[in-house]
Amino acid sequence: MAEMDTSSSGGKGKHKGTKSKKQSTRVDMTPMVDLGFLLITFFMLTTTMSKPKTMDLTMPKDTKDEKEQNKVKESTALTILLGKKDEVYYYEGLAQDPNASANPDFFKATNFANKGGIRDVIIKKRDQVAQLRNAKGEPEDVVVIIKADDASTYKNFVDILDEMAINRIQRYATVDISDQDKTWIKQTESANKVQ
């Protein structure tokens, strides 16, 4: 016959000598704290490294009164015109003289190249104005006037602003391009066969 073992019946009755083991409900949080600190460190570093880089640009107030506008001396001014295909045109002064275009060396073309580019032109003009300032004892500084053509790119505009920061040009202005400037650009592009 078959026998049944009833000695260890787990049920409602209490038995001597056997105690039920209770599982611990405590969770060890030490690894979670380590993970939290690693995540905080990671996000602090990546946030600092991914800051957008901006350039400070101080703009004057708009004014209708011509007496309140800043006047620029012809001898300290350098006008830079941005053309298409990374071409840069420049002339010294403000070109308010109608006979200025009669001089073949007046309107010149260059580019953003490291050697012989617009940076060298800016440095040369800055040095000329510094010599003029030392000779006269007047607090003069070079003033760069930037004019962008319709065919120029936003990248070229940012590049020329970078050149102002690199060459420590304190006074510069962005001005709308005139019809005369557009004519000179077209004449120079056709002479240099720029498409």
Side-chain angles (χ1 to χ4, degrees), residues 3-4 9 18 26 30 34 42 48 57 62 70 78 96 102 116 123 136 148 151-152 155 158 165 173 178 182 192 194:
E3 292 181 326
M4 285 182 89
S9 67
T18 50
R26 184 177 176 275
T30 308
D34 291 343
F42 171 76
T48 307
L57 185 63
D62 278 341
N70 293 337
L78 175 66
Q96 294 175 345
I123 291 170
K136 289 186 174 182
S152 66
K155 177 191 174 299
V158 172
S178 67
K182 288 180 182 180
N192 295 340
V194 176

Side-chain angles (χ1 to χ4, degrees), residues 127-152:
D127 292 343
Q128 285 176 353
V129 172
Q131 288 174 355
L132 181 68
R133 178 178 53 210
N134 291 338
K136 289 186 174 182
E138 296 177 5
E140 295 180 357
D141 199 7
V142 64
V143 178
V144 178
I145 299 165
I146 303 167
K147 299 179 180 182
D149 189 27
D150 297 334
S152 66

